[in-house]
Amino acid sequence: STNINLLSNSNFEHILNGQEPSTSIQTNQDNIFPWITTAANEKIEIWRNGNLDVPSYSGNYFAALNAAGGPKLFQTFVADQNHTGLQKVKLSFARRAQFSNSDQIKVSIEQNGSTLDDQTLSSNPNSWDYETVELHPFLLAGNSELVFESIPPGSGTGQPAVADNPYVTGEKGN
């Protein structure tokens, strides 16, 4: 079987226009293409490995969710453009709280404004957790979106969670 990564810039390593941070940066979403934010200012916050003593899960950079005023960070992908033979689709990603055990991250797969699958997970501020979820390929016809959202603790305030190394992979048979 063959695994195919369906996302681009899945490690947040390709930062355009000289915007690579020495610690962290809030930069226009165009510099982290093809990631998009719902923040009104269209900025995505990227942290460098070791910023505030938080190591990256993989590579030099990772995304801080909700830090730039936007509740969602997402990327559009096509699971099976030709609808020919994806046997499995898996979503994998690393997640971590920045400062509090009560920080949560919601990850979902959406299509045409409807949520096909979602999970809200508590995060640990002391280490990364790596999740893998198997999705149903027949649900993913056409464009789909991988969406990350930081869910603050009960009061609606709190520190954002961080995400790294997201992959959506499709497995084809021989």
Side-chain angles (χ1 to χ4, degrees), residues 89-109:
V89 176
K90 291 182 181 179
L91 162 63
S92 303
F93 63 98
R95 63 181 167 79
R96 180 182 180 136
Q98 283 187 4
F99 304 109
S100 164
N101 281 327
S102 59
D103 295 342
Q104 294 183 317
I105 185 171
K106 179 179 178 181
V107 61
S108 58
I109 300 291

Side-chain angles (χ1 to χ4, degrees), residues 6-173:
L6 304 173
L7 298 178
S8 298
N9 197 10
S10 58
N11 232 7
F12 305 102
E13 297 296 306
H14 301 289
I15 303 171
L16 304 176
N17 301 317
Q19 296 294 305
E20 297 91 348
S22 58
T23 55
S24 68
I25 190 169
Q26 289 186 8
T27 187
N28 188 280
Q29 64 188 9
D30 294 342
N31 293 324
I32 316 295
F33 183 81
W35 291 98
I36 299 171
T37 180
T38 57
N41 63 7
E42 297 184 342
K43 294 194 182 238
I44 296 172
E45 185 163 325
I46 298 295
W47 284 29
R48 186 176 187 92
N49 181 35
N51 183 43
L52 298 179
D53 294 323
V54 179
S56 62
Y57 179 82
S58 176
N60 290 316
Y61 306 105
F62 56 96
L65 305 175
N66 206 26
K72 294 183 180 181
L73 177 67
F74 66 95
Q75 184 176 142
T76 300
F77 67 94
V78 179
D80 193 0
Q81 203 160 17
N82 301 317
H83 310 293
T84 54
L86 280 188
Q87 295 174 337
K88 293 180 184 176
V89 176
K90 291 182 181 179
L91 162 63
S92 303
F93 63 98
R95 63 181 167 79
R96 180 182 180 136
Q98 283 187 4
F99 304 109
S100 164
N101 281 327
S102 59
D103 295 342
Q104 294 183 317
I105 185 171
K106 179 179 178 181
V107 61
S108 58
I109 300 291
E110 297 180 6
Q111 200 171 63
N112 299 320
S114 297
T115 300
L116 301 179
D117 198 355
D118 70 333
Q119 291 190 9
T120 300
L121 305 160
S122 295
S123 298
N124 181 339
N126 300 314
S127 64
W128 288 94
D129 292 312
Y130 197 75
E131 300 290 332
T132 299
V133 179
E134 191 165 323
L135 305 170
H136 300 286
F138 66 86
L139 292 175
L140 301 176
N143 290 344
S144 300
E145 293 174 342
L146 169 62
V147 182
F148 288 107
E149 185 175 3
S150 181
I151 308 294
S155 65
T157 62
Q159 301 298 326
V162 293
D164 198 2
N165 208 37
Y167 281 88
V168 176
T169 56
E171 183 180 309
K172 287 191 170 198

